[in-house]
């Protein structure tokens, strides 16, 4: 199934449904996320270019649902590209508070910025720096931090043969080591009593 996530910064659910040439079915992962059917063509739709929705598998929205960002809070998305979870956070903040979206790979950071602009997230900072540097400089500054960590991608096996071809036990271990370093950095950035959510799209116990 393909997924569509409503962008409440641009429209209401009724308007989105009326703008799409296919029906939407609710998902259990977020009140903003819907199933659109396997044959839905979403990328070329005017509503997509207008930022009325983000094309995202509904289960991917569960990390931000767990994070529960609230308007007025300072929220860090530490591994943010291409922006699915950042734009979801931005919608839930509703223009209040601050979203800081970081991506260590410059090319992916540019895609992140483009998606935030398309979705109308105006209260966001986009950075391109190592997690250790960013979190060390902003110790205890964020109410909530999301680490959607780079992983071995086992959750993609069912639809991406390339993910299977790239998998190896060595890759899993390398991912686990990198994730631990990122998580150690993220802990510094959360204020006392704040919330840190860690997520991956893999099944590996070593990475979770």
């Amino acid at each position: 199934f393909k997924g569509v996530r409503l962008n409440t910064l641009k429209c209401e659910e009724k308007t989105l449904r009326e703008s799409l040439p296919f029906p939407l079915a609710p998902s259990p992962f977020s009140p903003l996320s819907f199933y659109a059917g396997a044959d839905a063509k979403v990328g070329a739709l005017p509503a997509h270019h207008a930022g009325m929705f983000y094309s995202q598998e509904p289960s991917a929205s569960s990390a931000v649902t767990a994070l529960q960002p609230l308007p007025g809070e300072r929220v860090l998305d530490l591994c943010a590209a291409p922006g699915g979870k950042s734009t979801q956070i931005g919608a839930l903040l509703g223009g209040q508070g601050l979203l800081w979206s970081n991506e260590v790979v410059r090319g992916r950071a540019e895609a992140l910025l483009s998606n935030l602009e398309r979705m109308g997230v105006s209260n966001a900072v986009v950075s391109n720096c190592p997690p250790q540097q960013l979190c060390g400089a902003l110790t205890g500054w964020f109410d909530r931090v999301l680490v959607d960590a780079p992983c071995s991608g086992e959750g993609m096996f069912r639809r991406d043969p390339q993910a299977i071809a790239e998998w190896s036990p060595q890759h899993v271990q390398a991912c686990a080591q990198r994730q631990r370093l990122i998580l150690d950095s993220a802990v510094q950035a959360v204020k006392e009593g704040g919330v840190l959510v860690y997520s991956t799209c893999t099944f590996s116990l070593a990475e979770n």
Side-chain angles (χ1 to χ4, degrees):
F1 284 93
K2 291 184 178 177
V4 163
R5 196 190 71 247
L6 168 67
N7 179 20
T8 52
L9 296 176
K10 291 287 187 79
C11 68
E12 298 178 347
E13 181 181 333
K14 180 177 183 293
T15 304
L16 179 62
R17 287 182 178 275
E18 292 172 349
S19 302
L20 298 177
F22 46 78
L24 298 177
S27 87
F29 303 103
S30 164
L32 303 179
S33 293
F34 303 89
Y35 293 106
D39 298 326
K41 305 289 191 251
V42 298
L45 293 172
H48 177 266
H49 293 289
M52 294 168 65
F53 70 87
Y54 192 95
S55 179
Q56 180 188 53
E57 187 168 316
S59 61
S61 66
S62 60
V64 176
T65 299
L67 187 68
Q68 293 185 305
L70 300 172
E73 293 184 327
R74 295 189 294 233
V75 183
L76 171 63
D77 187 356
L78 191 54
C79 311
K85 295 174 178 66
S86 273
T87 53
Q88 185 179 354
I89 293 168
L92 293 173
L93 290 179
Q96 302 177 51
L98 177 70
L99 166 62
W100 193 306
S101 300
N102 182 69
E103 172 56 45
V104 70
V105 179
R106 184 170 183 82
R108 287 170 55 81
E110 292 171 357
L112 166 64
L113 175 59
S114 175
N115 279 320
L116 286 166
E117 290 177 339
R118 178 173 62 87
M119 302 293 279
V121 181
S122 59
N123 56 325
V125 170
V126 175
S127 60
N128 167 224
C129 61
Q132 309 94 295
Q133 179 184 350
L134 176 63
C135 296
L138 296 171
T139 300
W141 200 71
F142 293 96
D143 298 289
R144 300 176 195 266
V145 175
L146 174 64
V147 178
D148 184 47
C151 68
S152 59
E154 293 169 356
M156 303 293 288
F157 283 1
R158 64 185 172 85
R159 66 178 188 178
D160 185 1
Q162 187 64 28
I164 299 175
E166 293 176 353
W167 186 92
S168 71
Q170 293 78 17
H171 183 45
V172 169
Q173 290 305 315
C175 286
Q177 292 175 9
R178 178 171 55 181
Q179 291 155 357
R180 172 57 64 183
L181 292 173
I182 294 171
L183 195 54
D184 287 345
S185 297
V187 168
Q188 300 177 51
V190 188
K191 75 175 188 181
E192 185 175 352
V195 175
L196 170 64
V197 170
Y198 173 87
S199 67
T200 72
C201 62
T202 197
F203 305 118
S204 166
L205 293 178
E207 298 179 67
N208 290 307

